[in-house]
Amino acid sequence: MNRFAELLAALAFQPQRNGKLRLLTDYFRSVPDPDRGYALAAIAGGLKFTHAKPALIRGLVDARIDPVLFDLSYDYVGDLAETVALIWPKKHGANVSPGLGEIVERLATLGKAELPRCLEKWLDALDADGRLALIKLITGGLRVGVSARLAKTAVAGIKSVDPNEIEELWPALSPPYLDLFAWLDGTAEKPSAKAHAVFRPVMLAHAIEEEDWPGLDPSDFIAEWKWDGIRVQAVSEGNVDRLYSRTGEDIGGSFPDVLDALPPNVVIDGELLVIRKGEAASFNELQQRLNRKAVNAKMLQEFPAGIRAYDLLMLDGEDLRGCAFVERRARLEKFIAERKSQQLDLSPLVPFATWDELRAHRASPPSPAVEGVMLKRKVSPYLPGRVKGEWWKWKRDPHLVDAVLMYAQRGHGKRSSYYSDYTFGVWKNDELVPVGKAYFGFTDEELVKIDRFVRAHTTNKFGPVREVVHDQKTGLVFEVAFEGLARSTRHKSGVAMRFPRINRLRWDKPPGEADTIETLEMMLTAD
Amino acid sequence: MTPLLEPKPGGLYCAEGDFFVDPVRAVKRAVITHGHSDHARAGHEQVLATAETIAIMEVRCGDDCAGIKQAARYGQTTTIGNVKVTLKPAGHILGSAQAVVERGAERIVVSGDYKRRRDPTCARFEPVECDVFISEATFGLPVFTHPPDTQEIAKLLHSIAVFPERAHLVGAYSLGKAQRIIALLREAGYDAPIFLHGAMVELCKLYERFGVRLGLLIPLTEAKNKIFSGSVVIAPPSVFGERWTRRLGDHVNSFASGWMRIRARARQQGIELPLIVSDHADWEELTATVEELRPRELWVTHGQEDALVHYSRSIGVPARPLSLKGYDETGEGEPETGTQATLFPLNANGGNGKDSGL
Ligand SMILES: [Zn+2]
Ligand SMILES: [Zn+2]
């Protein structure tokens, strides 16, 4: 448990993706079975046991600690789990600290009545980091900021295999993944992925840039709309149906209606959308269906989800991924024509002869749920990952607003001496309200200039955050580009941006002339 | 009879001997427990302290930091009027002492800042039976238990192994903490050169002069075109985010402090590698000391007084907070000018609000 606790602590302070990856790989490489396997399951969300309520923990600590001392401490620390972990009195001569595997295996078989006593014993035997990890684990609050995908990538790092190989195997594996680690350690063969309805790594497109056009011949490509939903892979094999996100996360639980409508023995690549009478709705509506554990009948009726198919990877056991796109497309069209339903339809092609013609189509899409066009090379097979030159995405132009820099935060790693993360706001009456945060979109030279500006115009410091002058006359205006806007109760402004980035620095513009919240609210109704 | 010691605006005062202990303003006669700047101020007419503390004061404030400087060895008694003063090791930093003040059979121990665990850079705390024990309470809450320092040093060495291409910038107070971290690294077998920020170069030399071995140290000013990958650089914690740190390239910000126990504290500072190493007693040491000495009365000075006073009364030792002004409540005893606001943005009584999403 100690190594797992140490890992969680280190991850909690590590802001960089690569840093997290290194910590994880180091852990998976050096910790023995079965602990590392259970750690992988805990992080990737594959552990199942009944969780304890925070009240149980509170009860245990109340029996041990003077309430005055506890209250003073809780007031100081502010977080219940952390306070309990820190304040739990050391017991000399306690048992040896239990391993993660021991704890997980015990929890799986433990009766509810035995839990408190067992927990107490473990708390006595662990140190403060270990206690915090245990409390978070059993109360289900293990938020470590690591996605399942990142954890698998770290595991792949043990032997430098392609993370996609692990992704393909994943549905066939179960904690503590002894066969997986044995293979990566080089002591056993690769486990078989013959199990059912596995995820196939998806093919991704490059965003097309000005300089890419001259090398491209329109007659080599087919164009189709790019829909603004969630890219998914629907798999039906044997009697198993699954719906995966493009990173291989199983999201089927939230979309039983889509799974029900899936024909047998097929793997489809498509876009998950809310579809009403054949019309795709905006991303905001799809969001109502996301991350819901329980889906009720009302949700299903109000926000009916479906797949708009882009590609066909497998059909009746035949792997089509090696075929050319035109061939797969022909098979897909025939397949959908025979089985079309409310929950499964075809993404139409966009006919064009020249790039200018396509540009014109892109400027007037048939639906607000279109976010651009996709270009696919006619002869390209279906390849995992972002393969350059085969698929291109040509997005609709982003929304732009002028917003004022309000707070700047120090970055991390190479940027840790630069103020590189910016919170910006727009005017609401005479006051600026924050509407978003961005930390890219500018060049290194621009970063140096903004950093200098921040340091010279600081009005307040809070740890690594500086408040920057932002009145009508003085301040820095950013032209911010973003993909979409959603209502948000968590933001004071009432709106939240998707993919905001700094498009341009407007040193020339006085902050008083930046945009107002009304401008954003209009975009919201237009979307 | 006049009290042997009493709290005055200038600090703890002994009327009979006409001296202060660690006065916060210039006075005629001062007994100084240790060299941290909130305890050892310049400008007193006469100073009684250990030779190490006097040397530290001279390095920091010049040879004329005080009028008459009288050095006392640990255990040596000095008579001032009717009162006897003896310095005993406090285990806090090099030269740190408890001031044992006696008049007849009455004895008060002013512990100054102290800790109980072993520290390779200073003499270990010596418990002295007394009527009144005056304790600090910097980490006077039961959530503060400092782990073994070997464990924290192992954390640093592990991070260097996992990120060998990044420099490790360790924030540590210039006096005491910096030298202790270096000495602990050496004990753990780390023998590469360690790079030093200018603020601590002279103090490290002073430690060496008093026999504390720190190994090869290189001032940053003498490492002009150096690539710092994988190196340890020790600097005062006020430097995080300063422009010169760009010289270090992509580096890990680490901070050695008892405050790193609280995760929000570390996060607020953008610390990637918190090291829980403190020169102050943790809760267990504070309470164990009260239990061991069982003084007739406990007086509690700077820090989190409430919890310690409450605890002491609960085990039958009468206690009262002294609320002396002018000492660094944030502990670590080294208020580098201008850094307090950025280092410790939580308010002084520590409440940072519940459910702050740590
Ligand atoms: Zn001190
Ligand atoms: Zn102090």
Side-chain angles (χ1 to χ4, degrees), chain A residues 121-340:
Chain A
K121 254 176 35 202
W122 286 333
L123 289 171
D124 280 339
L126 290 164
D127 69 4
D129 279 343
R131 291 191 293 262
L132 185 59
L134 175 66
I135 293 170
K136 298 224 155 177
L137 186 71
I138 59 159
T139 53
L142 199 75
R143 283 177 294 271
V144 289
V146 172
S147 64
R149 172 72 184 180
L150 191 66
K152 292 172 204 164
T153 307
V155 170
I158 295 178
K159 194 190 165 173
S160 309
V161 301
D162 185 341
N164 288 324
E165 282 193 66
I166 297 191
E167 210 66 83
E168 287 207 19
L169 287 176
W170 194 252
L173 305 172
S174 59
Y177 311 108
L178 300 178
D179 46 353
L180 172 69
F181 284 109
W183 166 51
L184 294 170
D185 286 347
T187 56
E189 290 296 300
K190 183 173 173 178
S192 152
K194 249 187 270 132
H196 341 289
V198 299
F199 170 71
R200 275 81 177 174
V202 299
M203 180 159 178
L204 299 168
H206 268 275
I208 197 155
E209 306 282 350
E210 248 355 280
E211 63 268 24
D212 296 320
W213 289 112
L216 303 180
D217 181 344
S219 65
D220 289 342
F221 286 89
I222 285 174
E224 63 182 311
W225 297 115
K226 179 170 174 19
W227 298 91
D228 187 12
I230 293 177
R231 178 88 180 276
V232 288
Q233 183 177 101
V235 184
S236 169
E237 268 172 327
N239 286 319
V240 186
D241 298 335
R242 287 197 203 280
L243 189 64
Y244 294 106
S245 74
R246 73 185 177 92
T247 54
E249 199 187 334
D250 188 343
I251 56 169
S254 306
F255 299 95
D257 44 346
V258 177
L259 282 179
D260 280 349
L262 193 63
N265 297 319
V266 68
V267 179
I268 293 171
D269 180 338
E271 194 83 11
L272 185 66
L273 295 160
V274 165
I275 303 177
R276 290 193 194 90
K277 298 201 182 78
E279 292 291 331
S282 78
F283 184 78
N284 289 344
E285 297 203 43
L286 180 63
Q287 232 163 4
Q288 307 298 320
R289 289 284 303 270
L290 291 175
N291 304 321
R292 299 241 172 203
K293 285 225 174 78
V295 258
N296 55 37
K298 188 160 164 270
M299 291 293 297
L300 293 178
Q301 206 177 10
E302 243 180 280
F303 303 100
I307 294 174
R308 190 149 281 180
Y310 292 137
D311 214 324
L312 190 62
L313 311 192
M314 303 276 295
L315 185 60
D316 295 325
E318 185 190 349
D319 193 340
L320 304 177
R321 287 179 289 178
C323 307
F325 177 66
V326 277
E327 195 185 331
R328 299 199 307 276
R329 175 75 196 189
R331 302 275 293 266
L332 177 70
E333 286 177 4
K334 182 162 172 286
F335 177 82
I336 298 286
E338 287 162 3
R339 298 172 181 79
K340 186 169 156 54

Side-chain angles (χ1 to χ4, degrees), chain B residues 34-39 92-93 112-113 279-280 302 331-334:
Chain B
H34 67 285
H36 277 147
S37 51
D38 53 330
H39 294 255
H92 175 54
I93 61 168
D113 293 336
D279 287 328
H280 292 268
H302 53 307
E332 307 298 327
E334 203 66 340

Side-chain angles (χ1 to χ4, degrees), chain A residues 18 29 36 63 97 126 147 158 160 179 204 352 369 420 501:
Chain A
N18 278 336
R29 206 175 260 151
R36 57 177 171 174
S97 143
L126 290 164
S147 64
I158 295 178
S160 309
D179 46 353
L204 299 168
F352 72 101
S420 63
R501 66 246 180 215

